[in-house]
Amino acid sequence: MQMRNLHWQCNASTQPGVMPRFYKKTLLRTTLLALLLCTGAYYKYYISKLTAVRRYEGKTKMMRHASEWNQTTTMEEWNKTIAARKKHLLRICQKYGKPQNPNVLTKDLTPEILVSEIHQLIYCAIPKVASRNWKQVLVMLSGKSNITDISDFDRLNIQVQKPPYPGRYFPALRSYSEESILYRLKKHTTFIFVRHPFERLLSAYRDKIAVHRDTHFYRPIRIKMVSKYKKNATVEQLATGLGVTFPEFVDFVIDTYRSKQSLDSHWMPYHQLCEPCNIQYDVIGKYETLENDARNFLELISAAKNVIFPSTAKHASHAQEYIKEYYSQLSPKAVLELWQIYSLDAEMFQYDFPSDSWNLFPNKS
């Protein structure tokens, strides 16, 4: 009987539809092992992909910015975008009890709100949002200049921020009488260009404070920063104000704002600089879509064909490269205090709190 059973087991594999118990267990173990290996491989692949996404999130954002920068829209599409921006701004002004009403304007208007009479324009020239390029455009639009090509400004090293250009080609709105101010606000086309407040602040720091040369105009401000915030400052640093770090600059901005002192125009909030809840801007342009917005705006005002807004896309890509480098130097407390200063601007013009891709809080306490 035992021999017969052994014979049947040894020859079971030859019988159709019958599988020995040994082979069943082996097959089950092999299947489970293969399943575990596949699961592990997939998990490893998923983690590597997730890590890669996080690692290159900043680069992806820069590519998105470049795509936005180079986008082209029809005039009809652009008008809808501008209308949506204006509607949103009005809603935020109403939310905070600041309805747009030009009649409440006073002679305290900042000198950055400029007038171009030939095309009946009013422009709030926000520093570090392509304001120099827009002033070049205003000079050409004035018809008073011999310049026929926008590239001549750089070629001839013409500084449009200095006399005789400001007063002659684009006088400040506040230089007019109150009656004339209100008249122009009703009749002229008003426009403004904005960018993310944190990007603008960094651009101002790099251009005006973190200099490797002693520029006289901002020397007193830099010296004040060095004397108050820099530990173990050298004699040269105390005399020139050179060597101010980004965290020191941010501390200065925060403390100046807290003490209710006026901020420099290069880092003054938009709602203080341009009165967007009192001036109903007809066009709200953005730095992220600058070339498209500028092109459509010049078409809107029927500018001469030779007036072409200069391309500044390369500057935008460079600005994105520096975001992580500088803002990761700040403590979470400093970032949040800084955001309190510019949060209203961000809400008015639809900018979010900086995302994780800015790498603001790497191992900070």
Side-chain angles (χ1 to χ4, degrees):
M1 185 70 179
Q2 291 178 349
M3 292 294 295
R4 195 179 307 167
N5 289 340
L6 180 63
H7 175 75
W8 183 89
Q9 290 175 5
C10 291
N11 292 280
S13 60
T14 61
Q15 298 181 32
V18 179
M19 179 178 291
R21 187 180 304 170
F22 171 77
Y23 290 122
K24 285 183 178 181
K25 290 182 178 179
T26 302
L27 181 61
L28 181 61
R29 288 171 183 161
T30 304
T31 303
L32 288 173
L33 180 61
L35 183 62
L36 287 172
L37 289 174
C38 290
T39 302
Y42 177 78
Y43 179 76
K44 185 177 180 180
Y45 171 78
Y46 174 78
I47 292 298
S48 66
K49 281 291 185 183
L50 183 62
T51 302
V53 167
R54 292 187 182 278
R55 185 179 301 156
Y56 295 105
E57 194 177 24
K59 289 185 179 181
T60 303
K61 184 178 180 182
M62 282 191 283
M63 292 173 64
R64 180 174 58 81
H65 271 264
S67 176
E68 290 175 348
W69 195 277
N70 295 319
Q71 73 174 340
T72 301
T73 59
T74 65
M75 182 60 76
E76 182 180 1
E77 294 171 332
W78 183 73
N79 282 329
K80 290 180 180 178
T81 298
I82 297 302
R85 291 173 183 173
K86 291 166 60 179
K87 183 179 180 180
H88 176 83
L89 174 59
L90 178 59
R91 185 174 64 81
I92 299 303
C93 289
Q94 292 172 339
K95 173 182 175 180
Y96 291 103
K98 300 178 179 181
Q100 292 175 318
N101 181 8
N103 292 312
V104 304
L105 286 172
T106 67
K107 298 297 286 186
D108 294 330
L109 290 170
T110 63
E112 277 67 37
I113 304 177
L114 310 175
V115 181
S116 177
E117 295 292 4
I118 189 69
H119 279 271
Q120 296 188 326
L121 301 174
I122 293 177
Y123 164 54
C124 186
I126 299 176
K128 310 315 300 174
V129 193
S131 60
R132 183 173 69 92
N133 290 335
W134 275 116
K135 289 175 183 177
Q136 293 174 352
V137 169
L138 293 181
V139 170
M140 293 193 67
L141 290 175
S142 70
K144 301 176 183 177
S145 171
N146 295 325
I147 295 175
T148 57
D149 192 305
I150 203 80
S151 63
D152 288 343
F153 288 99
D154 290 332
R155 184 175 62 82
L156 301 174
N157 194 30
I158 296 175
Q159 303 297 319
V160 291
Q161 297 93 331
K162 299 178 181 179
Y165 296 98
R168 180 181 178 190
Y169 295 94
F170 39 86
L173 180 62
R174 71 177 187 177
S175 65
Y176 293 82
S177 68
E178 185 173 348
E179 183 180 356
S180 296
I181 290 174
L182 295 175
Y183 173 80
R184 282 165 174 75
L185 286 173
K186 291 178 181 177
K187 298 296 183 181
H188 287 26
T189 299
T190 53
F191 71 106
I192 182 177
F193 273 76
V194 297
R195 70 190 295 187
H196 195 291
F198 273 18
E199 290 187 9
R200 172 180 172 245
L201 183 72
L202 177 57
S203 180
Y205 165 75
R206 287 180 48 80
D207 184 43
K208 302 302 178 184
I209 306 301
V211 292
H212 300 291
R213 62 193 186 284
D214 185 12
T215 51
H216 295 283
F217 187 78
Y218 277 86
R219 183 192 293 177
I221 299 179
R222 295 197 312 269
I223 290 176
K224 187 183 297 185
M225 294 178 190
V226 168
S227 61
K228 186 173 182 180
Y229 301 102
K230 183 170 286 298
K231 297 178 180 179
N232 304 317
T234 65
V235 174
E236 181 185 5
Q237 289 174 331
L238 289 170
T240 62
L242 296 178
V244 177
T245 66
F246 188 58
E248 291 164 352
F249 167 69
V250 167
D251 286 342
F252 170 81
V253 173
I254 292 172
D255 287 347
T256 304
Y257 182 81
R258 277 178 179 170
S259 62
K260 301 189 183 301
Q261 299 178 50
S262 179
L263 294 172
D264 183 88
S265 63
H266 284 78
W267 45 87
M268 181 182 290
Y270 303 146
H271 66 272
Q272 295 178 359
L273 194 69
C274 298
E275 298 276 2
C277 285
N278 291 325
I279 297 177
Q280 187 174 351
Y281 287 97
D282 298 303
V283 173
I284 300 172
K286 290 196 171 186
Y287 196 71
E288 296 78 12
T289 52
L290 176 58
E291 293 193 359
N292 183 66
D293 288 347
R295 180 171 53 251
N296 283 308
F297 178 73
L298 291 174
E299 181 180 342
L300 176 71
I301 64 172
S302 302
K305 296 298 183 182
N306 67 313
V307 181
I308 301 173
F309 192 85
S311 176
T312 53
K314 62 179 182 180
H315 300 296
S317 61
H318 290 162
Q320 284 296 311
E321 293 173 8
Y322 297 124
I323 291 296
K324 284 186 180 182
E325 177 185 350
Y326 285 92
Y327 277 94
S328 62
Q329 300 172 22
L330 304 180
S331 68
K333 181 174 180 290
V335 173
L336 293 175
E337 288 180 339
L338 199 60
W339 186 249
Q340 288 178 358
I341 299 174
Y342 299 103
S343 59
L344 180 56
D345 287 353
E347 192 172 1
M348 284 179 168
F349 299 106
Q350 298 171 283
Y351 291 108
D352 297 325
F353 183 81
S355 65
D356 291 339
S357 64
W358 284 36
N359 196 31
L360 295 185
F361 309 129
N363 302 319
K364 298 284 185 180
S365 57

